[in-house]
Amino acid sequence: MARLILSCKSSCLAKTSLLGLITSAPLQTIGQASCFQNSVRNISKHRGFLSSEAAFSRKSWLSYPALYRDKQGRRRLICAVATEPLPKQVEESKMDTPKEIFLKDYKLPDYYFDSVDLSFLLGEEKTIVSSKITVFPRVDGSSPLVLDGADLKLLSVKVNGEELKEVLNMLYLSLLCISLNGDYHLDSRHLTIPSPPSGTFTLEIVTEIYPQKNTSLEGLYKSSGNFCTQCEAEGFRKITFYQDRPDIMAKYTVRIEADKSLYPVLLSNGNLLGQGDLEGGKHYALWEDPFKKPCYLFALVAGQLESRDDTFVTCSGRNVSLRIWTPAQDVHKTAHAMYSLKAAMKWDEDVFGLEYDLDLFNIVAVPDFNMGAMENKSLNIFNSKLVLASPETASDADYAAILGVIGHELSLKEGLTVFRDQEFSSDMGSRTVKRIADVSRLRISQFPQDAGPMAHPVRPHSYIKMDNFYTVTVYEKGAEVVRMYKTLLGSQGFRKGMDLYFKRHDGQAVTCEDFFAAMRDANDADFANFLQWYSQAGTPLVKVTSSYDAAAHTFTLKFSQEVPPTPGQPVKEPMFIPVVSGLLDSSGKDMPLSSVYHDGALRSIANNSEPAYSTILRLTKKEEEFVFSDIHERPVPSLLRGFSAPIRLESDLSDSDLFFLLAHDSDDFNRWEAGQVLARKLMLSLVVDFQQGKPLVLNPKFVQGLRSILCDSSLEKEFIAKAITLPGEGEIMDMMEVADPDAVHAVRSFIRKQLASELKADFLSLVENNRSSEEYVFNHPNMARRALKNIALAYLASLEDQELTELALHEYKTATNMTEQFAALAAIAQNPGKIHDEVLADFYTKWQDDFLVVNKWFALQAMSDVPGNVENVRNLLSHPAYDLRNPNKVYSLIGGFCSSPVNFHAKDGSGYKFLGEIVVQLDKINPQVASRMVSAFSRWRRYDETRQNLAKAQLEMIVSANGLSENVFEIASKCLAA
């Protein structure tokens, strides 16, 4: 599955973590993931992880450098794709009335494809694609064969070697009751053969396409001089006419022919069967993929590339050749990607017994890419930002993203793979810190989606444009659903379920129910109403109250749950919610749990007479009660340990209870969570004070609580960095009845400065004690050290004190790696002024030839909370390094701007107007990217009436634009209808 890149969506982006320390990893948000795509999925012989969603359709950002010389004669890198209009002879697709497609209407195809032979003649002006397909009917009887196609020039169609002629008027022929066997009809979206032969037959189609003109970056396109493909979700129909749906699985043979001097490397899926030179300076390569796959996993790359080569020895002793392809100047930046690939392959074998089954594994880094990466079988295509890394140009966050995403693409299939890469990254670093990061992302990006006009289940019920449903709900919430299986079954039970799943379905298209059944059957488990997680949208709200009976020595927890109404689902059923819980005694120790009374039965918690200190409470009804026995003092409950379900939890815990958990909980996630709950309550209280014109006063207990975290030597440094990071502005606004970006921003800024002032000595000590002049090493201890130092520096620099600004400037100048240099730059950039301007200019001068670093520079300025920053962002649109055609630059600059609530939601509507203009302009170039940008408007009804009217005006302007794409129409119209 294609990995997500979060563009803007939630209004905090990376800012909740150290001002962001912007990663070149996907700014995760609506990066569209698998929705229907998770539906019918082939597990594939790679035996990769399937995500588990239902039968329907499927799933699917950055750019690469072209070299030129600037006025000073220096070599410069730019990212570019062609934007010329289509040739006149190719009819441009017009937007019909958008049609919504429903899961309930899914039908099996009338025809299947057994084998596909493709031939590509790659040219500078046009490319000729020839396909030869073996077709067989699902059932006897002649039905029309309908093939999908977009932006194609049809040259010929043959059936069983006999050329067909076009039927110009299907309606006229039907009125005359004439059926011309073998003739075809062509419209803007389909090629239809009304009466194919009975039985198996051969279909040959020749098309002409124009990759150089393809700015949508779907299908076959040119990226900085190289050919590449992106076929998920519906890109294959831009290459040739085909049944472009995931339940059509076939074996592919691919012949590529091109100019050898321009395109010396020719790659496709599977194994290389042959290659050689041809007349006229051309050459060819012949590839065969021996395993059936859907067309969205087809891939082709041709260009001037060089590779880093290595070998992986599988658990059965086979040698697999590994190659990571990039332009020659970037090969030295692929060492970490190769390490990550080998580590991921080994981990899959150790944890899940999954062995890679081909003899070759290729990865290609592409600068112009709508998504993060794409798991085409044996030929993964990656956004360059998720492959290229060096200590000088990439941050710790970039290194971590590469580690996770390469493992993710290795294994396939949305929700399950996101869970898999979360687990892999946890094992390679800190499990607690990784869990905190994943939950933070869920709350910042997915919870708002669940509460907005684009709310949909993990397996969506309908769509207009599949590309719009590669979402955080499908990916991130989907991963949480998989995690609940493991929570309920334990590691061994989960592995048993996985083994049965692969045994039953390897090489098939599968559904959510297939995955559910494997987990259930392998463990003889009762999952009650668990499948509701796949069919109901919305984030469940769980409320819990507690009571202690000193005489009976019992402690009672009463739960209620409610799933809020969402578009198309006004009434919801109760969910199956596992709540992992423990009880703390007055000394802060976990209490032994012997039994719990629930639903009329007493259940033993102890295991083989050994006491348990944590248990899973299974909520399946609207209201439930659990009574713990043998509790000899009033405990403090630790609920939802490890965030065991993707819910919002409201409890009757007092502030004293929360401070107690912050200091003592044995579950480190819940220790962090207690601090976050305290911070959210504090911020909401201060927002009310600010709105009422009262002076802001910081609770000294909160300061002391954070000081105790800072001084606790038993805690790992990266955990401390997470624990002292305040909740983001978007997260606080999401808890308000009427969101007030100005008040929330003022309060968060006040708290940060107060903490910096009162904990100044502690922060200075952290900066001093966590410096290092040693060579950069990407490992957990060093990452943790840098994370703690950098957040301390960010706090200090917020004080606008000359001495502290000089400290940040010193850290910037003496930094030996991008992580620390960029953190210092971000710390300085908080405050406008001469030093701010000089350091930003210096950074650009230093890194102007590295387009990925320049993207960080764009994002940092775009995310600024300086009032009126929209004008600065407008000016950056004209910067010579900016290119609206490159998705990564759009995500950095436009997505970055949308992540600043105080500027995007400016009271004068300037932020809304800016985004509206950009969306309309961008839609003509790349509808997928434009639709991700328009999603920033999704929560417009959460704000005051003035802001609502201004945002609504922009949405109405967008919807009324001529030639609007279905991608943007779907998002904008649903936002308006909310």
Side-chain angles (χ1 to χ4, degrees):
M1 118 234 168
R3 189 57 170 108
L4 280 191
I5 283 194
L6 292 200
S7 35
C8 50
K9 188 88 172 173
S10 100
S11 51
C12 10
L13 198 48
K15 295 176 75 172
T16 53
S17 64
L18 171 76
L19 263 175
L21 193 16
I22 300 160
T23 168
S24 80
L27 303 171
Q28 242 114 254
T29 176
I30 54 173
Q32 276 68 359
S34 97
C35 60
F36 289 115
Q37 78 211 38
N38 300 345
S39 61
V40 176
R41 280 305 206 185
N42 71 306
I43 302 182
S44 119
K45 278 284 188 173
H46 166 11
R47 299 178 61 100
F49 292 80
L50 168 129
S51 139
S52 80
E53 314 330 327
F56 219 150
S57 265
R58 57 224 147 188
K59 66 168 178 71
S60 176
W61 352 305
L62 280 220
S63 221
Y64 223 89
L67 289 170
Y68 76 105
R69 295 187 180 273
D70 63 11
K71 294 179 180 179
Q72 287 73 40
R74 295 172 300 184
R75 295 173 78 231
R76 296 287 305 282
L77 293 172
I78 59 171
C79 301
V81 292
T83 57
E84 293 92 341
L86 291 170
K88 291 182 180 179
Q89 66 265 36
V90 178
E91 178 187 353
E92 293 193 35
S93 57
K94 297 180 177 61
M95 178 179 165
D96 302 324
T97 302
K99 178 184 177 182
E100 192 163 8
I101 298 171
F102 293 89
L103 175 62
K104 63 182 175 61
D105 296 331
Y106 170 78
K107 295 179 181 179
L108 292 171
D110 290 327
Y111 294 89
Y112 289 111
F113 295 167
D114 181 64
S115 63
V116 180
D117 295 334
L118 293 173
S119 175
F120 291 82
L121 300 179
L122 303 177
E124 291 309 286
E125 295 184 0
K126 63 185 178 182
T127 290
I128 304 298
V129 182
S130 302
S131 67
K132 184 175 182 180
I133 307 169
T134 302
V135 185
F136 63 95
R138 179 173 57 86
V139 294
D140 293 333
S142 181
S143 300
L145 173 58
V146 181
L147 306 175
D148 303 298
D151 301 330
L152 304 173
K153 180 179 180 181
L154 179 63
L155 299 183
S156 69
V157 184
K158 292 181 181 179
V159 170
N160 289 335
E162 194 173 314
E163 187 158 350
L164 307 185
K165 294 181 180 180
E166 182 175 4
V167 177
L168 297 179
N169 193 323
M170 292 284 286
L171 176 61
Y172 176 73
L173 290 174
S174 65
L175 290 174
L176 294 179
C177 299
I178 294 175
S179 175
L180 297 180
N181 186 35
D183 282 345
Y184 67 88
H185 173 68
L186 183 66
D187 61 31
S188 62
R189 294 173 184 253
H190 301 103
L191 168 64
T192 301
I193 300 175
S195 300
S198 59
T200 299
F201 63 93
T202 300
L203 174 64
E204 297 175 77
I205 300 173
V206 182
T207 58
E208 185 174 290
I209 58 176
Y210 308 89
Q212 295 84 346
K213 323 296 181 187
N214 184 0
T215 62
S216 69
L217 310 186
E218 295 179 276
L220 180 66
Y221 63 94
K222 288 290 286 290
S223 172
S224 303
N226 297 327
F227 286 94
C228 65
T229 57
Q230 171 58 32
C231 293
E232 191 175 12
E234 297 175 336
F236 195 77
R237 65 189 61 191
K238 290 192 170 188
I239 295 174
T240 188
F241 290 98
Y242 199 83
Q243 291 189 103
D244 191 358
R245 47 190 289 171
D247 50 1
I248 299 297
M249 297 171 62
K251 295 180 180 180
Y252 284 69
T253 301
V254 180
R255 187 183 190 278
I256 310 168
E257 182 179 323
D259 186 305
K260 189 172 183 177
S261 64
L262 296 176
Y263 311 103
V265 175
L266 305 176
L267 304 173
S268 191
N269 309 84
N271 298 316
L272 181 64
L273 294 184
Q275 57 186 331
D277 294 334
L278 301 170
E279 293 181 357
K282 294 187 176 183
H283 71 139
Y284 78 95
L286 183 64
W287 293 85
E288 180 189 50
D289 188 346
F291 304 115
K292 288 192 172 186
K293 65 172 178 280
C295 65
Y296 73 84
L297 291 178
F298 168 78
L300 179 153
V301 173
Q304 305 217 16
L305 303 166
E306 293 187 11
S307 65
R308 176 183 293 274
D309 297 354
D310 207 330
T311 301
F312 178 77
V313 180
T314 70
C315 55
S316 67
R318 288 189 308 105
N319 288 327
V320 178
S321 296
L322 308 178
R323 294 174 187 158
I324 300 179
W325 298 88
T326 70
Q329 67 268 23
D330 290 321
V331 172
H332 71 285
K333 295 182 180 180
T334 61
H336 177 65
M338 183 62 79
Y339 158 79
S340 301
L341 175 58
K342 296 178 74 172
M345 295 177 83
K346 180 68 165 61
W347 189 89
D348 279 346
E349 291 184 345
D350 293 344
V351 176
F352 290 108
L354 301 176
E355 177 180 346
Y356 185 72
D357 60 349
L358 291 175
D359 299 326
L360 176 64
F361 192 97
N362 284 307
I363 288 177
V364 181
V366 176
D368 303 293
F369 206 64
N370 285 336
M371 298 295 290
M374 181 62 209
E375 85 288 2
N376 315 297
K377 182 69 178 297
S378 80
L379 179 54
N380 280 196
I381 298 178
F382 272 64
N383 194 315
S384 296
K385 74 191 300 179
L386 293 173
V387 172
L388 305 180
S390 67
E392 300 79 19
T393 62
S395 69
D396 286 342
D398 299 329
Y399 273 82
I402 291 169
L403 181 69
V405 173
I406 280 190
H408 174 102
E409 294 306 321
L410 178 67
S411 30
L412 304 185
K413 310 313 169 251
E414 285 45 282
L416 180 54
T417 22
V418 174
F419 168 74
R420 177 250 170 246
D421 75 50
Q422 290 173 355
E423 289 293 286
F424 170 62
S425 296
S426 295
D427 285 348
M428 302 296 285
S430 165
R431 180 161 290 274
T432 296
V433 170
K434 176 61 176 164
R435 188 67 184 134
I436 289 170
D438 292 337
V439 172
S440 296
R441 181 182 303 115
L442 192 77
R443 286 173 171 165
I444 290 169
S445 299
Q446 197 280 320
F447 279 16
Q449 186 172 83
D450 249 353
M454 288 299 293
H456 56 273
V458 170
R459 178 176 61 190
H461 293 151
S462 66
Y463 67 89
I464 290 176
K465 193 66 177 171
M466 171 56 60
D467 303 322
N468 286 332
F469 287 89
Y470 287 69
T471 64
V472 284
T473 295
V474 173
Y475 278 71
E476 310 300 332
K477 186 174 181 178
E480 294 299 316
V481 173
V482 175
R483 184 177 296 277
M484 286 190 286
Y485 283 115
K486 185 177 181 182
T487 297
L488 290 164
L489 299 173
S491 296
Q492 290 185 345
F494 184 74
R495 172 64 188 269
K496 286 170 61 180
M498 290 295 297
D499 289 345
L500 180 59
Y501 174 65
F502 288 121
K503 181 179 179 180
R504 285 178 174 178
H505 302 294
D506 195 8
Q508 300 176 9
V510 295
T511 68
C512 306
E513 286 80 4
D514 293 327
F515 188 76
F516 169 87
M519 291 290 162
R520 178 197 62 202
D521 297 348
N523 294 276
D524 194 23
D526 177 14
F527 285 143
N529 49 342
F530 191 87
L531 282 172
Q532 296 283 10
W533 285 104
Y534 293 107
S535 58
Q536 288 194 161
T539 304
L541 172 63
V542 175
K543 297 180 179 180
V544 56
T545 58
S546 62
S547 60
Y548 178 64
D549 186 330
H553 295 162
T554 59
F555 181 71
T556 301
L557 291 172
K558 292 184 178 180
F559 290 89
S560 65
Q561 63 161 297
E562 179 183 6
V563 185
T566 53
Q569 291 186 331
V571 179
K572 304 294 179 67
E573 296 297 320
M575 307 285 275
F576 187 130
I577 301 174
V579 180
V580 178
S581 304
L583 305 177
L584 276 65
D585 64 20
S586 56
S587 67
K589 300 284 179 60
D590 281 322
M591 303 176 75
L593 306 176
S594 59
S595 60
V596 62
Y597 185 81
H598 169 245
D599 205 17
L602 185 66
R603 177 175 65 89
S604 175
I605 298 175
N607 184 20
N608 296 326
S609 301
E610 292 292 323
Y613 297 96
S614 190
T615 190
I616 302 172
L617 306 179
R618 301 180 175 213
L619 311 186
T620 59
K621 302 174 184 176
K622 187 173 180 60
E623 295 184 350
E624 295 186 74
E625 182 176 287
F626 298 83
V627 182
F628 292 89
S629 307
D630 302 320
I631 305 299
H632 295 282
E633 63 174 300
R634 183 180 184 90
V636 175
S638 173
L639 304 172
L640 205 67
R641 285 183 158 179
F643 199 70
S644 56
I647 64 171
R648 297 182 189 269
L649 180 68
E650 292 183 4
S651 74
D652 59 355
L653 289 171
S654 66
D655 285 358
S656 296
D657 292 333
L658 292 167
F659 279 116
F660 185 82
L661 292 170
L662 177 63
H664 300 292
D665 203 327
S666 63
D667 184 272
D668 285 341
F669 176 88
N670 268 19
R671 193 171 180 182
W672 169 82
E673 175 69 352
Q676 293 293 293
V677 174
L678 285 165
R680 290 193 290 266
K681 292 173 69 175
L682 172 66
M683 293 172 74
L684 287 168
S685 174
L686 289 177
V687 163
V688 174
D689 290 344
F690 179 87
Q691 291 172 327
Q692 295 176 354
K694 297 178 181 178
L696 300 182
V697 178
L698 187 59
N699 184 345
K701 287 186 177 180
F702 184 75
V703 179
Q704 185 54 42
L706 291 196
R707 178 178 279 118
S708 67
I709 293 289
L710 288 174
C711 299
D712 189 340
S713 59
S714 69
L715 295 173
E716 61 172 315
K717 292 181 178 182
E718 197 172 8
F719 175 83
I720 295 174
K722 293 289 186 185
I724 64 175
T725 300
L726 295 173
E729 293 175 22
E731 192 175 344
I732 301 304
M733 289 192 295
D734 206 38
M735 300 175 70
M736 300 174 65
E737 189 156 337
V738 178
D740 186 340
D742 296 327
V744 173
H745 176 67
V747 164
R748 192 171 190 272
S749 297
F750 164 76
I751 295 175
R752 290 184 76 248
K753 290 183 178 182
Q754 283 296 110
L755 289 173
S757 178
E758 297 192 39
L759 301 174
K760 180 178 176 180
D762 301 280
F763 287 138
L764 284 169
S765 177
L766 288 175
V767 172
E768 179 68 28
N769 294 336
N770 287 284
R771 287 192 180 109
S772 175
S773 58
E774 295 180 5
E775 184 178 346
Y776 177 91
V777 177
F778 176 73
N779 59 26
H780 182 65
N782 279 294
M783 285 178 63
R785 172 185 60 78
R786 289 187 287 264
L788 187 53
K789 174 202 161 189
N790 291 340
I791 194 161
L793 184 66
Y795 268 109
L796 291 168
S798 71
L799 290 175
E800 301 181 57
D801 176 277
Q802 183 62 33
E803 182 181 345
L804 297 175
T805 300
E806 289 296 329
L807 171 64
L809 188 59
H810 171 77
E811 296 301 317
Y812 171 80
K813 291 178 177 179
T814 60
T816 59
N817 58 77
M818 180 55 66
T819 303
E820 292 179 298
Q821 184 179 66
F822 195 79
L825 175 67
I828 294 168
Q830 296 176 84
N831 306 310
K834 182 180 178 182
I835 293 179
H836 164 280
D837 296 342
E838 290 176 349
V839 176
L840 279 171
D842 176 76
F843 187 83
Y844 178 76
T845 300
K846 186 176 299 182
W847 297 110
Q848 59 186 313
D849 293 335
D850 190 302
F851 67 96
L852 292 179
V853 179
V854 170
N855 287 346
K856 296 176 186 291
W857 181 78
F858 278 127
L860 180 63
Q861 295 176 84
M863 294 164 68
S864 171
D865 292 325
V866 173
N869 191 48
V870 65
E871 289 308 313
N872 180 47
V873 176
R874 281 189 183 276
N875 292 334
L876 287 171
L877 290 173
S878 302
H879 193 281
Y882 186 73
D883 189 345
L884 189 64
R885 299 167 298 181
N886 176 257
N888 283 347
K889 295 196 183 300
V890 174
Y891 298 141
S892 294
L893 188 62
I894 312 305
F897 173 74
C898 293
S899 74
S900 170
V902 74
N903 278 309
F904 176 59
H905 298 290
K907 196 83 171 181
D908 62 0
S910 56
Y912 301 149
K913 186 173 187 296
F914 170 72
L915 181 61
E917 293 169 355
I918 290 292
V919 166
V920 171
Q921 183 181 356
L922 185 58
D923 189 46
K924 307 298 183 186
I925 299 170
N926 191 322
Q928 275 194 40
V929 176
S931 70
R932 290 170 197 160
M933 294 301 103
V934 79
S935 294
F937 284 115
S938 63
R939 305 298 304 284
W940 65 279
R941 290 191 184 274
R942 299 273 298 108
Y943 296 86
D944 58 83
E945 186 176 354
T946 299
R947 287 184 170 92
Q948 285 189 37
N949 291 333
L950 292 167
K952 182 181 180 182
Q954 291 304 310
L955 284 167
E956 291 174 338
M957 180 275 293
I958 291 169
V959 169
S960 65
N962 285 331
L964 190 69
S965 70
E966 290 181 331
N967 302 70
V968 172
F969 173 83
E970 178 169 29
I971 304 293
S973 62
K974 287 185 176 180
C975 288
L976 276 173

